[in-house]
Amino acid sequence: MYGKWGKLYLLGLEKMLIWNILNKYNFKSKIYKDVNLSHYTSFKIGGKVDLFIIPYSWEELILILQILKENNIPTKVMGQGTNILAPDEGIKGAVIRLNQNLGKINFVDNSHLEVESGCLISKLISFMVEKNMGGLEFMMGIPGTIGGAVMGNAGAFRKAIGDFVEGVYVLNEHFEEMFLGKKELNFNYRSSNIPKDWIIKKVLLRLEEKPKEESLKEIKFFIKERSKKLPKYPSAGSVFKNPKEGPAGYFIDNLGFRGFRIGDAMVSYEHANTIINVGRARSKDVLEIINIIKDKVKEAYGIDLEPEIIIW
């Protein structure tokens, strides 16, 4: 009835309607229209999202989520965007970015910290060291937030954040707060059993007492080791999870993929399991490289590589 342009116009009206509804509440949260996701992902890739929201508080976040759900607005939640590949065509709906507004750290006792999910990993480690606590030194240099790290059980040097998690407070699909204790949590390699449509609110960590000087020495070592593999261009870190047969980068490197390029997306020379953006790479270029690598590794080694990055 309305034709192509009429349909687009109606979509525009729908966006304005939701925009007006959200702004009626005079939220302290920041609510933007038509934001380019490439500005908020470490890959520097991604088109525009209709609504981009940075919550001011957990109370406002829950209310915003309820409004979006009641109006059937598709919603995605992100932290620092350090492991996300966003589509070139953008996203219809809303993206909520959890940042340091929702990143407080609470000192519980000499071996426990309670950390909100928006807290940067670097900030958490600095706080830990100042309190003469240790255990997470291996994570220094991993970008992103604690919420994303726990959801995906981030790690390095044969250690993972899940080993230190005593419990998590989450918002379930109805936006109700729940506590999941250690016995209810299951952390595996780069994964957890926390449902993907739930939001981690805060994490209870069990650390160890450790002199500041000892922690700083370990941090210096891990930074030095990580810098050897750190690409100089935008990326989303390791593209594939390591299969049980060995490091993904080993198999990719053996097939001569370092420097392999499509458009401005290229397999890094520093580490074969990293794809970098050397200019204006598109999501479709990265996906094409991912699929080619998967096919060639399967053909040569019989291994099914599984992406570690989150593909929207």
Side-chain angles (χ1 to χ4, degrees):
M1 175 180 175
Y2 295 101
K4 177 183 176 183
W5 299 113
K7 185 177 180 182
L8 289 175
Y9 178 65
L10 288 176
L11 287 174
L13 284 179
E14 182 181 65
K15 184 163 55 180
M16 284 303 299
L17 176 63
I18 301 303
W19 168 265
N20 290 334
I21 289 172
L22 289 172
N23 279 285
K24 277 183 182 178
Y25 287 84
N26 293 317
F27 288 127
K28 291 184 179 179
S29 302
K30 297 185 184 299
I31 304 170
Y32 304 103
K33 287 184 295 184
D34 299 321
V35 168
N36 198 319
L37 288 170
S38 64
H39 298 317
Y40 292 94
T41 63
S42 60
F43 238 145
K44 304 302 178 189
I45 292 174
K48 290 182 178 180
V49 61
D50 292 332
L51 296 172
F52 189 77
I53 301 165
I54 303 175
Y56 174 78
S57 66
W58 289 104
E59 292 75 20
E60 286 198 3
L61 171 60
I62 291 170
L63 184 52
I64 288 169
L65 287 168
Q66 289 171 339
I67 293 170
L68 293 172
K69 185 175 182 178
E70 288 166 5
N71 288 276
N72 298 311
I73 304 300
T75 303
K76 293 182 180 295
V77 178
M78 66 182 291
Q80 287 295 102
T82 54
N83 66 337
I84 291 172
L85 178 61
D88 301 315
E89 61 272 19
I91 291 177
K92 288 296 176 188
V95 168
I96 295 176
R97 187 186 193 219
L98 305 183
N99 72 351
Q100 293 188 69
N101 291 339
L102 309 181
K104 298 180 180 64
I105 304 174
N106 179 37
F107 179 81
V108 180
D109 56 42
N110 288 337
S111 57
H112 291 89
L113 293 178
E114 210 171 61
V115 189
E116 291 186 337
S117 64
C119 179
L120 292 174
I121 293 171
S122 56
K123 178 184 174 184
L124 168 60
I125 293 175
S126 296
F127 187 94
M128 174 191 79
V129 172
E130 286 302 313
K131 295 294 183 179
N132 288 298
M133 303 169 82
L136 299 180
E137 293 87 353
F138 68 94
M139 295 192 70
M140 187 53 124
I142 296 179
T145 60
I146 189 67
V150 171
M151 183 68 83
N153 194 24
F157 305 101
R158 300 183 184 277
K159 298 181 180 181
I161 183 69
D163 299 331
F164 300 86
V165 176
E166 288 287 289
V168 295
Y169 295 85
V170 297
L171 300 177
N172 65 18
E173 69 273 22
H174 305 297
F175 316 127
E176 301 162 336
E177 185 172 323
M178 298 172 56
F179 177 75
L180 303 177
K182 197 173 183 68
K183 292 182 180 179
E184 299 167 275
L185 293 168
N186 184 18
F187 291 102
N188 293 306
Y189 175 70
R190 300 298 178 267
S191 67
S192 72
N193 65 334
I194 302 170
K196 300 302 180 187
D197 59 342
W198 290 13
I199 297 172
I200 295 177
K201 183 177 181 182
K202 55 186 175 182
V203 181
L204 179 62
L205 296 170
R206 182 181 181 86
L207 303 175
E208 58 189 67
E209 294 185 50
K210 184 182 288 187
K212 183 188 298 185
E213 296 73 21
E214 190 176 332
S215 288
L216 290 173
K217 184 178 179 181
E218 289 184 28
I219 287 170
K220 186 176 180 180
F221 167 78
F222 288 125
I223 289 176
K224 183 178 179 181
E225 289 300 304
R226 192 181 301 281
S227 67
K228 296 175 183 178
K229 303 175 182 179
L230 200 64
K232 299 175 179 62
Y233 291 91
S235 78
S238 294
V239 174
F240 297 103
K241 297 179 181 179
N242 291 328
K244 64 180 186 299
E245 291 83 358
Y250 170 80
F251 302 106
I252 298 168
D253 195 16
N254 275 359
L255 294 174
F257 272 107
R258 290 193 195 224
F260 179 74
R261 178 171 176 169
I262 295 177
D264 278 344
M266 187 179 82
V267 177
S268 172
Y269 283 108
E270 284 87 359
H271 197 294
N273 194 20
T274 304
I275 296 174
I276 57 177
N277 179 358
V278 298
R280 295 185 177 181
R282 297 173 297 172
S283 177
K284 63 179 287 188
D285 300 330
V286 176
L287 288 172
E288 191 172 348
I289 292 177
I290 286 173
N291 289 329
I292 290 171
I293 289 175
K294 285 180 68 176
D295 290 345
K296 293 299 183 182
V297 170
K298 175 68 173 178
E299 181 183 322
Y301 300 103
I303 296 171
D304 290 306
L305 289 181
E306 182 184 347
E308 182 170 329
I309 61 173
I310 297 171
I311 301 171
W312 277 1

